[in-house]
């Protein structure tokens, strides 16, 4: 295994974590959004990023990570009583997005810390390579 694989592995992790941060930002930005589809209004459904192992080659047990897919969060929508809301049903309830701001912030902080950890891995690899180049000096 080459020392240069570290750059591929850490880079894949940084890409995956940035995708998680983007998804979390999208969820928070659309927490009050309404989607018009097929003649009806629907609340925004939170998205989740699913990551999977990405082997360096077929027989390798080490490797990076990649985004497997982005799926809708199966959490139930919030039912809010607001009889004066223009989109309230006959009983005065409206459906709101299933985005949980606390969960999104925790996910955002976790992804940010993972991203920073991979930057440190890259810094360490760079330092090792530079030290290796100066062995004969």
């Amino acid at each position: 295994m080459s020392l240069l694989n570290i750059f591929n592995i850490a880079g894949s992790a940084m890409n995956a974590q940035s995708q998680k941060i983007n998804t979390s930002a999208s969820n928070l930005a659309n927490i009050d959004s309404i989607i018009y589809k097929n003649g009806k209004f629907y609340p925004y459904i939170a998205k989740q990023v699913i990551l999977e192992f990405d082997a360096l080659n077929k027989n390798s047990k080490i490797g990076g990570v990649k985004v497997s897919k982005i799926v809708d969060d199966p959490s139930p929508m919030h039912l809010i009583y607001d009889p004066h809301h223009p989109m309230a049903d006959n009983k005065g309830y409206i459906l709101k997005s299933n985005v949980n701001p606390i969960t999104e912030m925790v996910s955002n902080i976790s992804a940010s810390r993972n991203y920073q950890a991979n930057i440190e891995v890259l810094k360490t690899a760079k330092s090792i390579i530079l030290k290796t180049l100066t062995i004969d000096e």
Side-chain angles (χ1 to χ4, degrees):
M1 183 170 140
S2 169
L3 185 61
L4 297 178
N5 286 335
I6 293 170
F7 293 105
N8 292 333
I9 294 169
S12 72
M14 291 168 63
N15 282 333
Q17 297 306 325
S18 68
Q19 183 68 44
K20 286 183 78 174
I21 292 169
N22 286 335
T23 303
S24 181
S26 175
N27 286 341
L28 288 171
N30 289 293
I31 195 167
D32 290 327
S33 294
I34 303 289
I35 299 170
Y36 185 75
K37 185 176 172 185
N38 298 331
K40 294 177 92 178
F41 291 99
Y42 299 95
Y44 175 79
I45 299 172
K47 309 292 185 247
Q48 293 179 332
V49 176
I50 307 296
L51 304 178
E52 71 178 8
F53 176 71
D54 187 20
L56 290 174
N57 57 46
K58 287 183 180 179
N59 298 326
S60 180
K61 292 185 178 181
I62 61 168
V65 63
K66 67 180 179 182
V67 174
S68 172
K69 56 187 167 184
I70 297 175
V71 298
D72 290 341
D73 186 345
S75 302
M77 297 291 169
H78 300 144
L79 192 60
I80 307 291
Y81 181 70
D82 187 359
H84 302 294
H85 194 281
M87 299 184 67
D89 63 9
N90 294 339
K91 296 177 182 174
Y93 288 96
I94 59 169
L95 272 179
K96 299 280 277 188
S97 174
N98 61 351
V99 174
N100 182 338
I102 296 170
T103 303
E104 294 301 325
M105 287 308 300
V106 169
S107 175
N108 194 16
I109 291 169
S110 173
S112 176
R113 295 286 186 247
N114 288 337
Y115 191 93
Q116 291 172 353
N118 282 288
I119 288 175
E120 292 303 319
V121 168
L122 290 178
K123 285 181 180 177
T124 301
K126 176 185 169 188
S127 175
I128 290 170
I129 290 172
L130 288 175
K131 291 282 185 189
T132 303
L133 293 175
T134 60
I135 285 177
D136 199 26
E137 292 181 358

